[in-house]
Amino acid sequence: MTTGKTPPPNWLESAQQFQQNLIQQWTQLAQAMPGAAAGGANPFGMPVPTAMPLPTAVPGMAGIGDLFTQAAGHGVSFDPAQLLEIQNNYLKEVAGLWNQGPNVKPAGDRRFASEAWAGNPVAAFAAASYLLNARTLMAMADAVQGDAKTRSRVRFAVQQWIDASAPSNFMAFNAEAQKKAIETQGESIAKGMANLLHDMKQGHVSMTDESVFEVGKNVATTEGAVVFENDLFQLIEYKPLTAKVYERPFLLVPPCINKFYILDLQPENSLIRYCVEQGHRTFVVSWRNPDESLAKKTWDQYIEDAVIKAIAVTQDITGAETINALGFCVGGTMLGTALAVLAARGEEPVNCATFLTTLLDFTDTGILDVFIDENFVKYREMQFADGGLMPGRDLATTFSFLRPNDLVWNYVVGNYLKGETPPPFDLLYWNSDSTNLPGPYYAWYLRQMYLENNLVKPGKVKVCGEKIDFRQVKLPVYIYGSREDHIVPIGGAYGSTQLFPGKKRFVMGASGHIAGVINPASKNKRSHWIGPAGKFPKDVKEWIDSATEHPGSWWTDWSAWLKPQAGKQIAAPKAYGKGKAYAVIEPAPGRYVKAKA
């Protein structure tokens, strides 16, 4: 490679072409934006065309003009002064790129951090140019005028396009993949093709070596037995690990959108095992992976025949007057709904409840809000009017594209361009083990909660024939939210503090939706935050400002809160279930969790 003040001619030619393309792309983008200035003129004094010319100089740039309009659902407009400032910054940075010559470094992005990029002037310039385009497009997305939902949709769509069009995602531009292909004499390309064919056959991108794991063998291994089942769920009772247990049993309700063993991956990070070790007689709902026989099941049926039924069966088996319960994610939404139904009936079988990263108030749903509007919900209602299944693979893909660089393109590059096999990772194995949802359940959930947020409006919605009113749910609650959660934002989790009238405790943990929850006390990782006792201002930001950071997992705080709610200690049972009515059906984790979507 030539270095010094005089770059090689082929680099000069490439760099000049890039410079011309960058300026041309900006000019086309600026000309194309509707409403960039009053009277239909843009900051350059040129009329705005009805359709944007499609730049073709850089692969993936075509269609950018339509992207803004399609994301918003209508034409978009910008403040002329703000757009002019973005243009000036862009042209200044283009000049800066040119002045750096072949020594340009695409800094600050791990996708371009290897020596292969830095050692190839053309690749480095391409990456730096891409990053400049990305920053400019996001600045334009932030400058879109309109309501909050329009701005969020535009920003989300632009970010998706930026992530998908990265030069690292294409063999023709990925210097690192090309270097590996040369070093392996093409073997990495052959392995990449084999990986691609394998993933096409299995129907999803491999995030881990799935052949290493088997449910019941090296994940979901806490000892127990299935003691009840119906067509919606199996109830698992776990073997006590202490001589005595608390008299009040403990029931966990995981999300039915995923499989329960996120709570029981390995012995060292199993929340289920932790509960058993703390002396709780522990039961867990294991949802059935729906097939066509469940295609007409509704939200009401899941509440009545699953959550409320699981509570009653746990009471029957243990003989306890009341139990303690925990709901995780949508499992918490269903548990909360069930508690409101029971309260409306004058029943209080649950002594206290824990809600982990749960939405009951759907005011703040984060990035998922960009998908939900009246047309989308109506489409789903029509689609599932006569039943049907929402495929687990579609749901998994949607969640993956909330973090596309980490959960999509990272694996596309590694698996297919570099021919690598991702290492074994239990959490990612679970993440790939998707579940279906009954269509009517899904459509009702979308409208009543995500679209209209009716669950928190006293008496607005009926479930199982009862009007939902959380003011009647007066039991003590422990509410947990994760600070960086992109599925249940911290503000959404905190919203539940405003619903329950009884004693409550809110704790915020570090990290995201899964890693924040699955944070074993023994690892002493991350932190959690606790606010002043009994003080829950309406705005979560006020609570965060008043909270105190504590090192380590929130598990220990929760365990200390739960134990006084569990009653006195009694001799641990020596057998599972109870008599013939609740005889052992099969060992844990049971067959329901093993069914594939």
Side-chain angles (χ1 to χ4, degrees):
M1 184 183 73
T2 305
T3 58
K5 295 184 177 180
T6 306
N10 61 336
W11 186 89
L12 279 172
E13 182 179 344
S14 299
Q16 287 172 333
Q17 185 63 47
F18 266 116
Q19 183 190 35
Q20 293 170 3
N21 291 341
L22 291 171
I23 296 172
Q24 180 185 16
Q25 288 157 18
W26 170 263
T27 302
Q28 290 173 322
L29 282 167
Q31 288 176 345
M33 291 304 156
N42 63 35
F44 307 102
M46 295 177 284
V48 179
T50 56
M52 174 183 172
L54 303 180
T56 57
V58 176
M61 282 296 289
I64 260 298
D66 293 337
L67 179 62
F68 280 82
T69 299
Q70 290 173 2
H74 49 73
V76 294
S77 60
F78 301 83
D79 176 78
Q82 194 172 4
L83 198 61
L84 184 59
E85 181 181 358
I86 294 171
Q87 177 209 12
N88 290 336
N89 289 337
Y90 182 77
L91 296 178
K92 186 185 300 182
E93 290 198 60
V94 168
L97 275 184
W98 172 250
N99 291 334
Q100 290 180 62
N103 300 313
V104 65
K105 305 293 183 187
D109 194 302
R110 64 183 181 182
R111 290 172 293 181
F112 314 115
S114 76
E115 181 57 34
W117 289 93
N120 183 326
V122 174
F125 198 92
S129 302
Y130 158 79
L131 293 173
L132 171 55
N133 279 337
R135 291 193 299 273
T136 303
L137 285 170
M138 288 310 299
M140 293 175 66
D142 290 337
V144 167
Q145 295 179 327
D147 58 58
K149 187 151 189 166
T150 295
R151 291 163 58 86
S152 294
R153 281 185 160 172
V154 169
R155 185 178 175 85
F156 179 80
V158 170
Q159 187 65 62
Q160 291 290 321
W161 180 90
I162 287 170
D163 294 340
S165 63
S168 52
N169 295 341
F170 303 92
M171 179 61 83
F173 302 101
N174 190 316
E176 194 174 359
Q178 292 170 6
K179 184 172 182 288
K180 186 168 186 178
I182 293 171
E183 291 173 347
T184 63
Q185 298 182 332
E187 184 180 354
S188 64
I189 295 177
K191 286 184 177 178
M193 289 301 298
N195 289 342
L196 177 60
L197 292 173
H198 172 269
D199 287 358
M200 289 174 65
K201 184 176 181 180
Q202 75 175 5
H204 63 270
V205 176
S206 293
M207 297 182 179
T208 184
D209 185 352
E210 297 179 24
S211 66
V212 172
F213 298 100
E214 182 181 338
V215 176
K217 183 177 180 181
N218 54 6
V219 290
T221 59
T222 301
E223 189 174 355
V226 175
V227 293
F228 173 83
E229 69 180 37
N230 61 20
D231 58 351
L232 291 178
F233 76 101
Q234 289 186 320
L235 186 68
I236 300 172
E237 180 180 4
Y238 287 93
K239 181 180 178 180
L241 295 174
T242 53
K244 291 186 176 182
V245 296
Y246 291 101
E247 64 178 341
R248 193 168 283 127
F250 188 58
L251 172 68
L252 292 89
V253 183
C256 59
I257 200 172
N258 295 112
K259 294 186 175 180
F260 84 87
Y261 66 90
I262 185 60
L263 301 172
D264 189 32
L265 289 171
Q266 304 287 337
E268 62 269 18
N269 64 359
S270 169
L271 182 60
I272 289 172
R273 185 178 179 86
Y274 179 77
C275 293
V276 178
E277 289 173 340
Q278 299 302 304
H280 299 286
R281 190 174 179 184
T282 304
F283 295 78
V284 172
V285 170
S286 173
W287 297 104
R288 183 176 171 191
N289 203 337
D291 57 20
E292 289 298 331
S293 68
L294 302 184
K296 293 190 177 183
K297 292 294 184 180
T298 64
W299 180 269
D300 279 27
Q301 289 172 304
Y302 267 71
I303 300 303
E304 189 75 74
D305 301 334
V307 182
I308 293 177
K309 183 65 175 178
I311 293 170
V313 171
T314 302
Q315 287 179 286
D316 288 347
I317 290 174
T318 61
E321 184 178 343
T322 60
I323 72 169
N324 293 327
L326 175 151
F328 178 21
C329 189
V330 72
T333 309
M334 289 192 288
L335 174 62
T337 304
L339 294 175
V341 170
L342 290 166
R345 294 173 178 172
E347 301 174 22
E348 297 180 347
V350 177
N351 173 68
C352 76
T354 299
F355 296 96
L356 306 181
T357 60
T358 291
L359 286 172
L360 293 172
D361 182 344
F362 284 71
T363 300
D364 180 5
T365 57
I367 194 62
L368 287 173
D369 184 61
V370 303
F371 297 102
I372 310 298
D373 60 16
E374 180 67 30
N375 289 335
F376 174 78
V377 174
K378 277 186 176 178
Y379 166 73
R380 290 302 191 189
E381 289 172 335
M382 292 173 60
Q383 180 185 12
F384 298 124
D386 297 318
L389 294 175
M390 182 63 193
R393 185 58 49 215
D394 291 358
L395 292 167
T397 298
T398 297
F399 285 115
S400 291
F401 273 98
L402 297 180
R403 292 170 53 204
N405 283 333
D406 291 333
L407 297 178
V408 181
W409 302 116
N410 176 49
Y411 297 103
V412 168
V413 172
N415 296 2
Y416 312 146
L417 303 192
K418 298 180 184 178
E420 299 170 345
T421 299
F425 188 15
D426 53 5
L427 193 152
L428 290 177
Y429 172 78
W430 166 85
N431 191 63
S432 299
D433 192 5
S434 61
T435 58
N436 301 322
L437 281 179
Y441 166 106
Y442 173 67
W444 192 93
Y445 176 57
L446 286 178
R447 175 169 292 283
Q448 299 300 330
M449 298 179 196
Y450 271 98
L451 183 64
E452 298 182 3
N453 195 21
N454 287 331
L455 203 61
V456 296
K457 301 170 184 175
K460 175 67 175 179
V461 64
K462 277 189 174 184
V463 177
C464 304
E466 306 292 346
K467 291 182 178 180
I468 300 301
D469 185 351
F470 286 113
R471 295 175 300 182
Q472 299 180 37
V473 183
K474 300 176 182 179
L475 76 177
V477 294
Y478 186 103
I479 303 166
Y480 167 85
S482 290
R483 185 179 57 182
E484 288 93 29
D485 197 334
H486 63 291
I487 295 174
V488 178
I490 188 62
Y494 180 80
S496 296
T497 63
Q498 309 300 303
L499 301 179
F500 296 107
K503 293 181 180 180
K504 44 191 172 262
R505 185 173 184 81
F506 181 79
V507 174
M508 179 176 73
S511 198
H513 190 67
I514 300 298
V517 172
I518 309 304
N519 182 21
S522 60
K523 300 289 186 181
N524 199 30
K525 289 185 176 180
R526 309 188 185 96
S527 294
H528 61 281
W529 289 260
I530 300 172
K535 294 185 178 180
F536 303 99
K538 189 171 183 180
D539 190 339
V540 67
K541 293 179 182 177
E542 289 185 40
W543 183 92
I544 292 173
D545 289 342
S546 69
T548 302
E549 181 177 359
H550 299 266
S553 172
W554 61 273
W555 286 18
T556 51
D557 178 80
W558 170 69
S559 178
W561 175 88
L562 182 61
K563 284 181 179 179
Q565 305 286 345
K568 66 175 185 279
Q569 290 194 315
I570 59 175
K574 300 194 181 297
Y576 298 114
K578 183 180 181 181
K580 292 183 178 179
Y582 300 108
V584 171
I585 297 171
E586 59 185 333
R591 67 189 186 283
Y592 278 15
V593 73
K594 297 179 182 180
K596 298 294 183 180

